[in-house]
Amino acid sequence: GQNIDQPTEMTATEGAIVQINCTYQTSGFNGLFWYQQHAGEAPTFLSYNVLDGLEEKGRFSSFLSRSKGYSYLLLKELQMKDSASYLCAVLLGGNNRLAFGKGNQVVVIP
Amino acid sequence: DAGVIQSPRHEVTEMGQEVTLRCKPISGHNSLFWYRQTMMRGLELLIYFNNNVPIDDSGMPEDRFSAKMPNASFSTLKIQPSEPRDSAVYFCASSHSSAQSYGYTFGSGTRLTVV
């Protein structure tokens, strides 16, 4: 089976930095995705990592360590609109299949 | 492109009734996925298609669930008979198998309530 773990919820202050962790144990690995999902909406793509290291994209950065089965998403200069669930997903081998964690609910307060 | 289009957005039905959810993937995408999302279990993959062919339906809960993809631009997920425990948000997503780094594009989902 696939095991993708994320903390369930965190609260952070507007303007701060927050790190969302994800650990995984999966049968096969072809990359790791982060998605953002606002309440009542569809998940939307944030980032993709397939090699170890940090990928930076504006206020969002994502890190991957394949040997440790670990990734994190870093959100800088938090804004109120960043309040959402952040989903970690592993692209499994074979047929382009994504397995998702349950998501980390981030609440941004003024 | 209008993105992945799902219908209906909301469905309320009585236990025992048949429910049909519809999905139109992004033109040119050759992979289509049906997911179910609940608070308890998160996003669960039900079934996916590659070039209109079902590849893995091991996530389909039981025989009451069936899915079809008669052509590259349309798929259905049917529940017959529906039960209250089927209440969830059902997402359809599509992607291109040769562009894996772009991930999936999700539709807006169908919120199903079975009473």
Side-chain angles (χ1 to χ4, degrees), chain A residues 9-52:
Chain A
E9 185 170 325
M10 55 177 58
T11 301
T13 307
E14 198 174 9
I17 299 173
V18 69
Q19 178 173 314
I20 304 166
N21 297 320
C22 173
T23 57
Y24 63 90
Q25 287 178 301
T26 57
S27 55
F29 180 88
N30 275 350
L32 188 140
F33 290 83
W34 284 95
Y35 280 79
Q36 180 190 59
Q37 186 177 23
H38 286 102
E41 297 182 10
T44 55
F45 170 82
L46 282 179
S47 69
Y48 170 71
N49 294 67
V50 67
L51 300 175
D52 286 358

Coordinates of all heavy atoms in Angstrom, one line a residue, chain A residues 9-52:
Chain A
E9 N -3.2 20.1 10.6 CA -3.5 21.5 10.6 C -2.5 22.4 11.2 O -1.7 21.9 12.1 CB -4.8 21.7 11.4 CG -5.4 23.1 11.4 CD -6.8 23.2 12.0 OE1 -7.6 22.3 11.8 OE2 -7.1 24.3 12.6
M10 N -2.3 23.6 10.7 CA -1.4 24.6 11.4 C -2.0 26.0 11.2 O -2.7 26.3 10.2 CB 0.0 24.4 10.9 CG 0.2 24.6 9.4 SD 2.0 24.5 8.9 CE 2.5 22.9 9.6
T11 N -1.6 26.8 12.2 CA -2.1 28.2 12.1 C -0.8 29.1 12.1 O 0.2 28.8 12.7 CB -2.9 28.6 13.3 OG1 -4.0 27.7 13.4 CG2 -3.3 30.0 13.3
A12 N -0.8 30.1 11.2 CA 0.3 31.0 11.1 C -0.2 32.4 10.9 O -1.3 32.7 10.5 CB 1.2 30.6 9.9
T13 N 0.7 33.4 11.1 CA 0.3 34.8 11.1 C 0.7 35.4 9.7 O 1.7 35.0 9.1 CB 1.1 35.6 12.2 OG1 0.9 35.0 13.4 CG2 0.6 37.0 12.2
E14 N -0.2 36.3 9.2 CA 0.1 37.0 8.0 C 1.5 37.6 8.0 O 1.9 38.1 8.9 CB -1.0 38.1 7.9 CG -1.2 38.7 6.5 CD -2.3 39.7 6.4 OE1 -2.8 40.0 7.5 OE2 -2.7 40.1 5.3
G15 N 2.2 37.4 6.8 CA 3.5 37.9 6.7 C 4.6 36.9 7.1 O 5.8 37.1 6.8
A16 N 4.2 35.8 7.8 CA 5.2 34.9 8.4 C 5.6 33.8 7.3 O 5.1 33.9 6.2 CB 4.6 34.2 9.6
I17 N 6.4 32.9 7.7 CA 6.9 31.8 6.9 C 6.3 30.5 7.5 O 6.4 30.3 8.7 CB 8.4 31.7 6.8 CG1 9.0 32.9 6.1 CG2 8.8 30.4 6.0 CD1 10.5 33.0 6.2
V18 N 5.8 29.6 6.7 CA 5.3 28.3 7.2 C 5.9 27.2 6.4 O 6.0 27.3 5.2 CB 3.8 28.3 7.3 CG1 3.2 28.2 5.9 CG2 3.3 27.1 8.1
Q19 N 6.3 26.1 7.1 CA 6.8 24.9 6.4 C 5.8 23.7 6.6 O 5.5 23.4 7.7 CB 8.2 24.5 7.0 CG 8.8 23.3 6.3 CD 10.2 23.1 6.8 OE1 11.0 24.0 6.8 NE2 10.5 21.8 7.1
I20 N 5.4 23.1 5.5 CA 4.5 22.0 5.6 C 5.3 20.7 5.2 O 5.8 20.7 4.1 CB 3.3 22.2 4.6 CG1 2.6 23.6 4.9 CG2 2.3 21.1 4.7 CD1 1.7 24.0 3.8
N21 N 5.3 19.8 6.1 CA 6.1 18.6 5.8 C 5.2 17.4 5.3 O 4.0 17.3 5.5 CB 6.7 18.1 7.1 CG 7.7 19.1 7.6 OD1 8.4 19.8 6.9 ND2 7.7 19.3 9.0
C22 N 5.9 16.5 4.6 CA 5.3 15.3 4.0 C 6.3 14.2 4.0 O 7.4 14.4 3.5 CB 4.8 15.6 2.6 SG 4.2 14.2 1.7
T23 N 5.9 13.1 4.5 CA 6.8 11.9 4.4 C 6.0 10.8 3.7 O 4.8 10.7 3.8 CB 7.2 11.4 5.8 OG1 6.0 11.1 6.6 CG2 8.0 12.4 6.6
Y24 N 6.7 10.0 3.0 CA 6.0 9.0 2.1 C 6.8 7.7 2.1 O 8.0 7.6 2.2 CB 5.8 9.5 0.7 CG 7.1 9.8 -0.1 CD1 7.7 8.8 -0.8 CD2 7.7 11.1 0.0 CE1 8.9 9.1 -1.5 CE2 8.9 11.3 -0.7 CZ 9.5 10.3 -1.4 OH 10.7 10.6 -2.1
Q25 N 6.0 6.6 2.0 CA 6.5 5.3 1.7 C 5.6 4.7 0.6 O 4.5 4.4 0.9 CB 6.5 4.4 2.9 CG 7.5 4.7 4.0 CD 7.4 3.8 5.2 OE1 6.3 3.8 5.9 NE2 8.4 3.1 5.5
T26 N 6.1 4.6 -0.6 CA 5.3 4.2 -1.7 C 6.0 3.1 -2.5 O 7.2 3.0 -2.5 CB 4.9 5.4 -2.6 OG1 6.2 6.0 -3.1 CG2 4.1 6.4 -1.9
S27 N 5.2 2.3 -3.2 CA 5.7 1.3 -4.2 C 5.9 2.0 -5.5 O 5.1 2.2 -6.3 CB 4.7 0.2 -4.3 OG 3.4 0.7 -4.7
G28 N 7.1 2.5 -5.7 CA 7.4 3.3 -6.9 C 7.4 4.8 -6.6 O 6.7 5.3 -5.8
F29 N 8.3 5.5 -7.4 CA 8.3 7.0 -7.2 C 8.8 7.6 -8.5 O 9.9 7.3 -9.0 CB 9.3 7.3 -6.1 CG 9.4 8.8 -5.8 CD1 8.6 9.5 -5.0 CD2 10.4 9.5 -6.5 CE1 8.7 10.8 -4.8 CE2 10.5 10.9 -6.3 CZ 9.6 11.6 -5.4
N30 N 7.9 8.4 -9.1 CA 8.3 9.2 -10.3 C 8.2 10.7 -10.1 O 8.1 11.4 -11.1 CB 7.4 8.7 -11.4 CG 7.9 7.5 -12.1 OD1 9.0 7.0 -11.9 ND2 7.1 6.9 -13.0
G31 N 8.1 11.1 -8.8 CA 8.1 12.5 -8.6 C 7.1 12.8 -7.5 O 6.2 12.0 -7.1
L32 N 7.2 14.1 -7.0 CA 6.3 14.5 -5.9 C 5.7 15.8 -6.2 O 6.4 16.8 -6.7 CB 7.0 14.6 -4.6 CG 6.2 14.8 -3.3 CD1 6.7 14.0 -2.2 CD2 6.1 16.3 -2.9
F33 N 4.4 15.9 -6.0 CA 3.6 17.2 -6.3 C 3.1 17.8 -5.0 O 2.8 17.1 -4.1 CB 2.4 16.8 -7.2 CG 2.8 16.4 -8.6 CD1 3.2 15.1 -8.9 CD2 2.7 17.4 -9.6 CE1 3.5 14.8 -10.2 CE2 3.0 17.0 -10.9 CZ 3.4 15.7 -11.2
W34 N 2.9 19.1 -5.1 CA 2.1 19.8 -4.1 C 1.0 20.5 -4.8 O 1.2 21.1 -5.8 CB 3.0 20.8 -3.4 CG 3.9 20.2 -2.3 CD1 5.2 19.9 -2.5 CD2 3.6 19.9 -1.0 NE1 5.8 19.4 -1.4 CE2 4.8 19.4 -0.4 CE3 2.5 20.0 -0.2 CZ2 4.8 18.9 0.9 CZ3 2.5 19.6 1.1 CH2 3.7 19.1 1.7
Y35 N -0.2 20.3 -4.2 CA -1.4 21.0 -4.7 C -2.0 21.9 -3.5 O -1.9 21.6 -2.4 CB -2.5 19.9 -5.0 CG -2.3 19.3 -6.4 CD1 -1.3 18.3 -6.6 CD2 -3.0 19.7 -7.5 CE1 -1.1 17.7 -7.8 CE2 -2.8 19.1 -8.7 CZ -1.9 18.1 -8.9 OH -1.7 17.6 -10.1
Q36 N -2.7 22.9 -4.0 CA -3.4 23.8 -3.0 C -4.9 23.6 -3.3 O -5.3 23.5 -4.4 CB -3.0 25.3 -3.3 CG -3.7 26.3 -2.4 CD -3.5 27.7 -2.9 OE1 -3.8 28.1 -4.0 NE2 -2.9 28.5 -2.0
Q37 N -5.6 23.5 -2.2 CA -7.1 23.3 -2.3 C -7.8 24.3 -1.4 O -7.8 24.1 -0.2 CB -7.5 21.9 -2.1 CG -9.0 21.6 -2.4 CD -9.4 20.2 -2.2 OE1 -8.8 19.4 -1.5 NE2 -10.5 19.8 -2.9
H38 N -8.5 25.3 -1.9 CA -9.3 26.1 -1.1 C -10.7 25.4 -0.8 O -11.1 24.5 -1.6 CB -9.6 27.5 -1.8 CG -8.4 28.4 -1.8 ND1 -7.6 28.6 -2.9 CD2 -7.9 29.1 -0.8 CE1 -6.6 29.4 -2.6 NE2 -6.8 29.8 -1.3
A39 N -11.3 25.8 0.3 CA -12.5 25.1 0.7 C -13.6 25.2 -0.4 O -13.8 26.2 -1.0 CB -13.1 25.8 1.9
G40 N -14.1 24.0 -0.8 CA -15.2 23.9 -1.8 C -14.7 24.0 -3.2 O -15.5 24.1 -4.1
E41 N -13.4 24.0 -3.4 CA -12.8 24.1 -4.7 C -12.0 22.9 -5.1 O -11.7 22.0 -4.3 CB -12.0 25.4 -4.9 CG -12.8 26.6 -4.7 CD -12.0 27.9 -4.9 OE1 -10.9 27.8 -5.3 OE2 -12.5 29.0 -4.5
A42 N -11.6 22.8 -6.3 CA -10.7 21.7 -6.8 C -9.3 22.0 -6.4 O -8.8 23.1 -6.2 CB -10.8 21.6 -8.3
P43 N -8.5 20.9 -6.2 CA -7.0 21.1 -6.0 C -6.4 21.7 -7.3 O -6.8 21.4 -8.4 CB -6.5 19.6 -5.9 CG -7.7 18.8 -5.5 CD -8.9 19.5 -6.2
T44 N -5.4 22.6 -7.0 CA -4.7 23.2 -8.1 C -3.2 23.0 -8.0 O -2.7 23.0 -6.8 CB -5.0 24.7 -8.3 OG1 -4.7 25.3 -7.0 CG2 -6.4 25.0 -8.6
F45 N -2.5 22.8 -9.0 CA -1.1 22.5 -9.1 C -0.2 23.6 -8.5 O -0.4 24.8 -8.9 CB -0.7 22.1 -10.5 CG 0.8 22.0 -10.7 CD1 1.5 20.8 -10.4 CD2 1.5 23.0 -11.2 CE1 2.8 20.7 -10.7 CE2 2.9 22.9 -11.5 CZ 3.5 21.7 -11.2
L46 N 0.7 23.3 -7.6 CA 1.7 24.2 -7.1 C 3.1 24.0 -7.6 O 3.8 24.8 -8.1 CB 1.7 24.3 -5.6 CG 0.5 25.0 -4.9 CD1 0.7 24.8 -3.3 CD2 0.4 26.4 -5.3
S47 N 3.5 22.7 -7.4 CA 5.0 22.4 -7.7 C 5.2 20.9 -7.9 O 4.3 20.1 -7.6 CB 5.8 22.8 -6.5 OG 5.6 22.0 -5.4
Y48 N 6.3 20.7 -8.5 CA 6.7 19.3 -8.9 C 8.2 19.1 -8.6 O 9.0 20.0 -9.0 CB 6.4 19.0 -10.3 CG 7.0 17.7 -10.9 CD1 6.4 16.5 -10.5 CD2 8.0 17.7 -11.8 CE1 6.9 15.3 -11.0 CE2 8.5 16.5 -12.3 CZ 8.0 15.3 -11.9 OH 8.5 14.1 -12.4
N49 N 8.6 18.1 -7.9 CA 10.0 17.7 -7.6 C 10.2 16.3 -8.0 O 9.4 15.4 -7.7 CB 10.4 17.9 -6.2 CG 10.3 19.3 -5.6 OD1 9.2 19.9 -5.6 ND2 11.4 19.8 -5.3
V50 N 11.3 16.1 -8.8 CA 11.6 14.7 -9.1 C 13.1 14.4 -8.7 O 13.5 13.3 -8.4 CB 11.4 14.3 -10.6 CG1 12.4 15.1 -11.5 CG2 11.5 12.9 -10.8
L51 N 13.9 15.4 -8.6 CA 15.3 15.3 -8.2 C 15.4 15.9 -6.8 O 14.6 16.8 -6.4 CB 16.2 16.0 -9.1 CG 16.3 15.6 -10.6 CD1 17.1 16.4 -11.4 CD2 16.7 14.1 -10.6
D52 N 16.4 15.5 -6.0 CA 16.6 16.0 -4.7 C 17.0 17.5 -4.8 O 17.6 17.9 -5.7 CB 17.8 15.3 -4.0 CG 17.4 13.9 -3.5 OD1 16.3 13.5 -3.7 OD2 18.3 13.2 -3.0

